Amino acid sequence: DAGVTQSPTHLIKTRGQQVTLRCSPKSGHDTVSWYQQALGQGPQFIFQYYEEEERQRGNFPDRFSGHQFPNYSSELNVNALLLGDSALYLCASSLGGPPEAFFGQGTRLTVV
Amino acid sequence: GENVEQHPSTLSVQEGDSAVIKCTYSDSASNYFPWYKQELGKRPQLIIDIRSNVGEKKDQRIAVTLNKTAKHFSLHITETQPEDSAVYFCAATNMDSNYQLIWGAGTKLIIKP
């Protein structure tokens, strides 16, 4: 079991560009949550996907959007990148919702 | 909405001593409280969790206590070892009505040899 996998591991983008991050959940899990973790801070909940729908959303602007595919994998899209979007983006998977027991290794996004 | 405060932000203890990290939460409806350990550059790992119907839970050198009346919960690590050095996060949520974990700001635990 590969656990939760994310790609890419690192990414550098220019301000104003768009980015897509990917997450494959742990085998048997149907729920994917995305978090943004700025340096030195705790993870902030972006949204959660279940049954291919956004089930709950945190306090993030519409520039952040996502998708879940029938195989439960998920994408996070960020449009019109800002310098402040630089962070570690974490994906967590679970069966039906919390507890978030399994995280991916994260994607380190740097916006220049 | 829920708010979780975590203290201290940095904790330095001698190897072999105990460490205690405390969190308070604001929403009395919260019923699930996990603790995560995050080593530098790595993913958060769930180390222990507690639900509101239990006051204490232990797993070897790690224990968590919950005081629902005071709305606070604590992580206790005994006989600390160098590999315990990491950032520890607490979190809270109401699993019956919410899918969002609210996280504390983290505690950097330093184990001095």
Side-chain angles (χ1 to χ4, degrees):
Chain A
D1 181 3
V4 182
T5 59
Q6 291 185 243
S7 63
T9 55
H10 295 84
L11 202 52
I12 300 175
K13 288 286 189 179
T14 302
R15 190 172 45 184
Q17 285 189 315
Q18 178 265 344
V19 68
T20 298
L21 311 181
R22 295 176 176 82
C23 173
S24 292
K26 180 179 170 60
S27 178
H29 285 182
D30 59 3
T31 304
V32 173
S33 300
W34 286 93
Y35 290 84
Q36 180 194 68
Q37 186 176 24
L39 202 60
Q41 297 182 25
Q44 299 292 314
F45 178 81
I46 303 175
F47 41 54
Q48 184 181 88
Y49 274 83
Y50 172 71
E51 293 189 342
E52 301 180 51
E53 301 250 341
E54 183 184 290
R55 180 158 68 173
Q56 188 163 1
R57 188 179 185 91
N59 189 24
F60 278 79
D62 291 345
R63 298 187 297 109
F64 290 77
S65 63
H67 188 78
Q68 185 178 36
F69 299 93
N71 65 354
Y72 306 121
S73 67
S74 177
E75 288 182 349
L76 163 65
N77 301 293
V78 187
N79 294 323
L81 284 167
L82 304 173
L83 297 179
D85 295 331
S86 295
L88 179 68
Y89 288 84
L90 293 162
C91 163
S93 75
S94 60
L95 185 61
E100 310 282 36
F102 299 94
F103 278 85
Q105 80 281 13
T107 294
R108 173 70 63 185
L109 173 64
T110 302
V111 182
V112 298
Chain B
E2 176 65 281
N3 182 53
V4 176
E5 294 189 355
Q6 184 171 349
H7 301 280
S9 56
T10 304
L11 178 60
S12 184
V13 302
Q14 206 69 38
E15 182 180 350
D17 288 349
S18 295
V20 181
I21 302 170
K22 299 180 180 179
C23 288
T24 60
Y25 60 99
S26 59
D27 187 351
S28 57
S30 288
N31 57 15
Y32 177 66
F33 309 91
W35 285 89
Y36 293 86
K37 175 184 180 182
Q38 188 174 30
E39 297 177 55
L40 190 63
K42 296 192 176 181
R43 72 191 78 190
Q45 290 183 294
L46 178 69
I47 56 172
I48 196 167
D49 57 13
I50 192 167
R51 300 181 191 232
S52 59
N53 59 346
V54 176
E56 183 176 4
K57 184 176 178 181
K58 288 183 180 179
D59 183 4
Q60 299 182 342
R61 297 187 297 111
I62 293 174
V64 56
T65 58
L66 172 64
N67 183 326
K68 287 189 292 183
T69 303
K71 289 189 284 187
H72 67 70
F73 56 112
S74 300
L75 177 71
H76 305 253
I77 306 174
T78 59
E79 300 173 4
T80 53
Q81 300 169 4
E83 54 265 36
D84 294 330
S85 293
V87 178
Y88 291 80
F89 293 97
C90 63
T93 192
N94 179 345
M95 290 179 63
D96 299 324
S97 62
N98 201 346
Y99 305 104
Q100 176 178 176
L101 273 178
I102 305 299
W103 295 60
T107 296
K108 183 175 182 179
L109 178 61
I110 300 167
I111 308 301
K112 297 180 291 185

